[in-house]
Amino acid sequence: MIAFLVAVIDQSIKWVISTHMAVNSSISIWPGVLELLYVQNRGAAFSILLNQTPLLIVVALIVIGVIIYVDRRYAKGNMRLQIALGLLLGGAIGNLIDRIRLGYVIDYVYFEAIHYPVFNFADSCIVVSVIYLVFRAWRSRDQEGSTHPDGRAQEGNHGKHQ
């Protein structure tokens, strides 16, 4: 359900941007800081792999398959993991729809103050999800390292919670 909502929201925003703005035009939201800047990204993140749409579609389909597998195999009963995977899946689907339909991804959020690459809602969901998954893996690794092989807590775990 989360993946569906992310993809619908993403495609709705992109529809509004593409029907109300010209390519490479901008609307200042917060002068000097944030603007809507309509660009057509023909690559992946940070415009890498420019004009490699077929490859990017195949990679997206593989990623979507892996997300679905991980969700079915490991996320049962784990609401946080299901939400993270839903955000990741919805973001991947949202950008995949653009690639298949248009041959590029519609990006529109630009942080002018730091000259951050232009991105979109799907990208944001992907990034939030990946940050959570990395944090979760890091915490899991730390918790595994704080017990003996027989399950007893190690002494001197430097204040880490079990």
Side-chain angles (χ1 to χ4, degrees):
M1 184 57 118
I2 289 174
F4 176 77
L5 288 173
V6 167
V8 167
I9 291 167
D10 176 67
Q11 288 298 298
S12 298
I13 295 169
K14 289 173 178 176
W15 178 82
V16 170
I17 295 294
S18 66
T19 59
H20 290 82
M21 294 179 70
V23 176
N24 297 320
S25 67
S26 66
I27 298 171
S28 182
I29 303 298
W30 183 359
V33 177
L34 178 66
E35 65 183 46
L36 291 179
L37 172 60
Y38 174 23
V39 298
Q40 297 174 344
N41 183 353
R42 297 180 187 280
F46 307 108
S47 295
I48 60 172
L49 298 173
L50 278 175
N51 299 315
Q52 299 296 315
T53 301
L55 172 64
L56 294 171
I57 288 171
V58 169
V59 169
L61 289 170
I62 291 168
V63 167
I64 287 168
V66 169
I67 295 166
I68 291 169
Y69 171 79
V70 169
D71 180 62
R72 302 248 188 267
R73 175 97 170 138
Y74 300 104
K76 294 269 191 250
N78 187 328
M79 181 77 76
R80 289 182 187 153
L81 182 56
Q82 289 174 332
I83 291 169
L85 293 173
L87 290 171
L88 188 59
L89 181 60
I93 290 170
N95 284 338
L96 178 62
I97 290 169
D98 282 5
R99 285 190 205 291
I100 291 171
R101 191 171 65 87
L102 305 168
Y104 56 83
V105 172
I106 296 172
D107 287 333
Y108 50 85
V109 179
Y110 177 55
F111 281 105
E112 184 180 7
I114 59 173
H115 301 292
Y116 193 80
V118 185
F119 61 97
N120 61 45
F121 180 74
D123 298 334
S124 298
C125 291
I126 291 168
V127 168
V128 167
S129 177
V130 168
I131 289 170
Y132 171 77
L133 292 171
V134 167
F135 176 74
R136 176 185 160 90
W138 173 70
R139 276 196 46 172
S140 176
R141 184 185 57 92
D142 278 358
Q143 288 175 349
E144 287 174 10
S146 65
T147 59
H148 284 286
D150 67 3
R152 291 182 295 128
Q154 289 183 13
E155 292 181 27
N157 66 5
H158 306 289
K160 294 180 185 168
H161 294 93
Q162 302 296 318

